[in-house]
Amino acid sequence: MAMIPKSRLETRFTRRWMDYGFVLDEPIPTSVRRAGPKLTDSREAVESAWGLGGELGLPAADAALDKIWDKDGGNWQRRLSPFFRKLAPRASRVFAGLVRAGCQPDRLADFFAEASACARSKKSTERVRAEIDALQKLTRKAVEAVGALADRRRMFDDYVATEGLRIPEDEPGVAELRILRVDFEDFGKRHEEELEHLHRQIDGRRQRVLGHAQIRLSLQVREVTGSYNDRDVEAVLNSLFASEGHPESQSGTLKRKRARWNTAVSTSSRERRSFQR
């Protein structure tokens, strides 16, 4: 392998080390991989190589991951058979090329499955968005109703006091309604924030921090290989789309999505700096 600049090697190793740990510790959907053959846990070997320190530690640790990838060769293809059943032959070869470039196969397949699920979940996310909008409207109406009740009760008490009529001592009066109003306004605010957070999670176009699932995939590939490899990534994605009966995306789609995402992130950063001033 050609010499990799230290800064990029750090990025590459960090991404691969995180992906390796994720695959060993976290569940991956059965639609992506089978239970076996299992990936060997050789993290101690990587940590031992990293322990060399200095100029040797990082390259040795990254090379240790390469050895783990090589040892797993043949196993990951069988382990990921549910995922490969959805790929055309060319897409399978492209995926294998990304693995040879350093990507952890299980995690890469998981990223691809997540990114392609965006098309499959379009109908359900539209339903969820509609429900969120309805819940937000009902929450606002409920807050307004409690506020109107408190105002009307205050007006009633003022009128009774002006007319000199006796108010029974065991009635709650406006004081408790004022407390209820404040508490319910706080509840309504928290509820709307929760719904808005959910809205951002399901709507890739509004995820300014995490980005769209396809963008996360694109960034992951670049961190490992040093290039976005858009043509290869789009080939695998389109094969997954086709397997689900969805139209393929046009060439250059990932590049355009990254441009919009970068613009959104830059705008968000400027807004935060302006607010801090």
Side-chain angles (χ1 to χ4, degrees), residues 25-40:
D25 296 335
E26 302 295 333
I28 290 181
T30 54
S31 59
V32 175
R33 74 171 182 182
R34 301 187 308 171
K38 289 187 176 181
L39 176 63
T40 304

Side-chain angles (χ1 to χ4, degrees), residues 135-136 139-140 142-143 181-195:
L135 286 170
Q136 286 177 322
T139 300
R140 297 186 193 109
V143 171
R181 179 180 194 172
V182 172
D183 289 345
F184 202 80
E185 285 175 350
D186 289 341
F187 161 77
K189 183 178 180 181
R190 292 194 306 271
H191 193 232
E192 285 212 63
E193 288 175 349
E194 179 186 351
L195 291 171

Side-chain angles (χ1 to χ4, degrees), residues 216-234:
R216 291 198 296 272
L217 165 65
S218 182
L219 295 176
Q220 187 264 1
V221 169
R222 183 178 184 273
E223 287 175 354
V224 173
T225 67
S227 172
Y228 288 117
N229 291 287
D230 284 347
R231 182 178 297 178
D232 290 343
V233 173
E234 288 176 349

Side-chain angles (χ1 to χ4, degrees), residues 214 218 229-235 237-238 248-260:
Q214 293 178 11
S218 182
N229 291 287
D230 284 347
R231 182 178 297 178
D232 290 343
V233 173
E234 288 176 349
L237 281 175
N238 281 333
E248 297 182 358
S249 59
Q250 296 180 348
S251 177
T253 295
L254 285 175
K255 184 176 182 179
R256 290 190 293 272
K257 286 185 175 183
R258 283 197 308 272
R260 290 196 298 268

Side-chain angles (χ1 to χ4, degrees), residues 18-88:
M18 291 173 60
D19 289 347
Y20 183 44
F22 182 94
V23 169
L24 290 171
D25 296 335
E26 302 295 333
I28 290 181
T30 54
S31 59
V32 175
R33 74 171 182 182
R34 301 187 308 171
K38 289 187 176 181
L39 176 63
T40 304
D41 187 348
S42 301
R43 282 178 286 195
E44 287 187 3
V46 180
E47 291 169 350
S48 177
W50 177 262
L52 294 173
E55 296 296 324
L56 299 176
L58 183 60
D62 193 63
L65 287 177
D66 284 332
K67 291 180 180 179
I68 295 171
W69 276 217
D70 292 340
K71 186 178 179 180
D72 191 46
N75 289 334
W76 63 263
Q77 290 91 334
R78 295 194 297 274
R79 195 167 56 243
L80 298 177
S81 58
F83 175 76
F84 277 105
R85 281 197 289 268
K86 303 174 185 177
L87 296 183

